[in-house]
């Protein structure tokens, strides 16, 4: 019986039609549907995506049948590389072992340059800059928040105004980082510049900012993605800034006109998770 079910699957996959498979195998259409459902139940996986009267191979089945061997060179900005991407890399590699993955990281401008120079196939960046010769595809929302150590005297604060922020010792990311770019843009909406803030340090990583905060009475501006575990553990605390929003989107970045390939499959794999 299982051999005939696989024959049914092959026919449906080839024709992308239950009706055509029914005619090809001389089996009723309800029987075709029943065999496919039994296969999906037996292997605990969806084989086809139903879209009204049309069907297509499920994403993972499509990837396995069309592009099961290849290499994908990824580049990601620091926050994404450290706090967002690793779980997706792990599950993608487990499912598609024939695809060789590699990853470099840097700030957003570094990754854009790597895409331009074709050193990577796909970039994942934060920030809001847009180069006209690159194509950007948003895949996830993010928010920058003001944090401090729970051991700091500033931890007693629940909310501050933007004017109060100007006086508090502040540590931020380095020039070229997407986080700093977004923060500067948000300040601009309030007619403020970085030079008006009490910046005591600029560091090249979010981990560096967190460690700095553990040993000073200061605040930092970082992605909520990067501090969720420390907030849950009671090591860091968010201080709200009244009437100040600092949201952004994480984006895939490719060279304009670049389509298809394993990179497109990886983009679809990630975006269907959100």
């Amino acid at each position: 019986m299982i051999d005939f079910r696989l024959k049914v699957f092959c026919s449906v996959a080839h024709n992308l039609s239950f009706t055509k498979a029914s005619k090809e195998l001389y089996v009723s259409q309800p029987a075709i549907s029943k065999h496919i459902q039994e296969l999906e139940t037996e292997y605990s996986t969806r084989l086809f995506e139903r879209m009204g009267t049309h069907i297509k191979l499920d994403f993972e089945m499509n990837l396995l049948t069309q592009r099961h061997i290849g290499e994908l060179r990824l580049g990601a900005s620091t926050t994404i590389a450290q706090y967002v991407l690793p779980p997706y890399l792990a599950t993608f590699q487990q499912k598609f072992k024939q695809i060789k993955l590699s990853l470099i990281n840097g700030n957003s401008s570094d990754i854009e340059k790597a895409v331009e120079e074709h050193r990577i196939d796909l970039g994942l960046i934060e920030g809001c800059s847009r180069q006209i010769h690159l194509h950007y595809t948003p895949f996830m929302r993010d928010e920058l928040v003001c944090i401090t150590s729970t051991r700091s005297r500033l931890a007693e604060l629940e909310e501050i105004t933007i004017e109060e922020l100007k006086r508090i010792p502040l540590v931020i990311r380095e020039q070229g980082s997407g986080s700093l770019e977004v923060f500067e843009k948000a300040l601009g909406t309030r007619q403020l510049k970085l030079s008006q803030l009490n910046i005591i340090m600029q560091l090249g990583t979010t981990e560096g900012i967190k460690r700095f905060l553990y040993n000073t009475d200061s605040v930092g501006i970082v992605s909520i993605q990067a501090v969720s575990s420390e907030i849950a553990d009671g090591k860091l605390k968010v201080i709200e800034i009244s009437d100040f929003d600092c949201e952004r989107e994480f984006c895939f970045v490719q060279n304009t006109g670049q389509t298809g390939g394993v990179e497109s499959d990886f983009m679809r794999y990630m975006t269907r998770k959100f």
Side-chain angles (χ1 to χ4, degrees), residues 9-10 13-14 16 47-48 56-69 95-96 98-99 265 268:
F9 166 75
C10 291
H14 175 74
L16 291 181
L47 301 177
F48 297 96
K56 67 177 182 178
L57 277 171
D58 182 70
F59 167 73
E60 294 178 9
M61 294 299 300
N62 191 56
L63 180 57
L64 286 170
T65 56
Q66 292 189 11
R67 281 185 287 271
H68 60 283
I69 296 175
K95 291 179 181 291
F96 313 116
Q98 303 92 334
I99 296 176
D265 290 321
R268 290 169 56 205

Side-chain angles (χ1 to χ4, degrees), residues 5-129:
R5 290 176 187 165
L6 292 176
K7 189 174 182 180
V8 169
F9 166 75
C10 291
S11 179
V12 175
H14 175 74
N15 292 289
L16 291 181
S17 168
F18 286 83
T19 300
K20 291 181 180 179
S22 172
K23 294 178 180 179
E24 183 175 87
L25 298 175
Y26 302 100
V27 177
S28 69
Q29 186 171 330
I32 293 290
S33 298
K34 182 173 182 292
H35 287 312
I36 295 298
Q37 290 171 359
E38 289 174 351
L39 280 174
E40 290 179 326
T41 299
E42 185 160 346
Y43 291 102
S44 300
T45 189
R46 186 171 60 173
L47 301 177
F48 297 96
E49 295 180 17
R50 282 80 167 174
M51 301 171 294
T53 58
H54 302 284
I55 65 168
K56 67 177 182 178
L57 277 171
D58 182 70
F59 167 73
E60 294 178 9
M61 294 299 300
N62 191 56
L63 180 57
L64 286 170
T65 56
Q66 292 189 11
R67 281 185 287 271
H68 60 283
I69 296 175
E71 180 180 6
L72 178 58
R73 301 171 302 165
L74 297 170
S77 58
T78 307
T79 298
I80 297 174
Q82 288 185 315
Y83 306 108
V84 178
L85 195 53
Y88 298 99
L89 291 178
T91 56
F92 188 86
Q93 189 174 58
Q94 288 171 3
K95 291 179 181 291
F96 313 116
K97 294 182 174 62
Q98 303 92 334
I99 296 176
K100 180 182 178 181
L101 294 174
S102 62
L103 173 67
I104 65 171
N105 74 281
N107 61 37
S108 292
S109 59
D110 293 334
I111 300 305
E112 287 175 318
K113 186 176 181 181
V115 171
E116 292 174 341
E117 296 175 351
H118 298 279
R119 289 186 281 117
I120 58 176
D121 305 305
L122 179 65
L124 298 89
I125 66 168
E126 49 207 273
C128 52
S129 66

Side-chain angles (χ1 to χ4, degrees), residues 16 43 54 75 124 132 135 162-163 181 201 265 269:
L16 291 181
Y43 291 102
H54 302 284
L124 298 89
I132 59 173
H135 179 69
I162 197 71
E163 287 298 317
E181 181 186 12
M201 185 69 66
D265 290 321
Y269 182 79

Side-chain angles (χ1 to χ4, degrees), residues 60-223:
E60 294 178 9
M61 294 299 300
N62 191 56
L63 180 57
L64 286 170
T65 56
Q66 292 189 11
R67 281 185 287 271
H68 60 283
I69 296 175
E71 180 180 6
L72 178 58
R73 301 171 302 165
L74 297 170
S77 58
T78 307
T79 298
I80 297 174
Q82 288 185 315
Y83 306 108
V84 178
L85 195 53
Y88 298 99
L89 291 178
T91 56
F92 188 86
Q93 189 174 58
Q94 288 171 3
K95 291 179 181 291
F96 313 116
K97 294 182 174 62
Q98 303 92 334
I99 296 176
K100 180 182 178 181
L101 294 174
S102 62
L103 173 67
I104 65 171
N105 74 281
N107 61 37
S108 292
S109 59
D110 293 334
I111 300 305
E112 287 175 318
K113 186 176 181 181
V115 171
E116 292 174 341
E117 296 175 351
H118 298 279
R119 289 186 281 117
I120 58 176
D121 305 305
L122 179 65
L124 298 89
I125 66 168
E126 49 207 273
C128 52
S129 66
R130 292 293 183 267
Q131 308 294 329
I132 59 173
H133 49 285
L134 295 177
H135 179 69
Y136 300 82
T137 306
F139 69 89
M140 182 181 182
R141 298 291 300 176
D142 183 41
E143 180 184 6
L144 298 183
V145 293
C146 177
I147 60 166
T148 192
S149 168
T150 51
R151 298 182 303 199
S152 167
R153 61 181 179 81
L154 297 171
E156 63 186 33
L157 299 173
E158 297 294 334
E159 185 174 7
I160 58 175
T161 66
I162 197 71
E163 287 298 317
E164 290 172 323
L165 177 65
K166 291 165 63 175
R167 298 188 293 271
I168 296 175
L170 176 65
V171 56
I172 57 176
R173 286 288 303 276
E174 82 288 2
Q175 294 293 330
S177 77
S179 296
L180 181 58
E181 181 186 12
V182 171
F183 182 50
E184 283 189 280
K185 185 176 180 180
L187 288 174
T189 65
R190 300 293 299 272
Q191 290 75 52
L192 286 175
K193 297 181 180 180
L194 286 176
S195 59
Q196 295 174 263
L197 304 181
N198 183 18
I199 298 171
I200 60 172
M201 185 69 66
Q202 286 187 256
L203 295 173
T205 66
T206 300
E207 286 300 309
I209 291 177
K210 289 191 285 188
R211 292 179 184 277
F212 187 91
L213 294 178
Y214 290 143
N215 295 280
T216 62
D217 288 321
S218 58
V219 299
I221 302 294
V222 300
S223 165

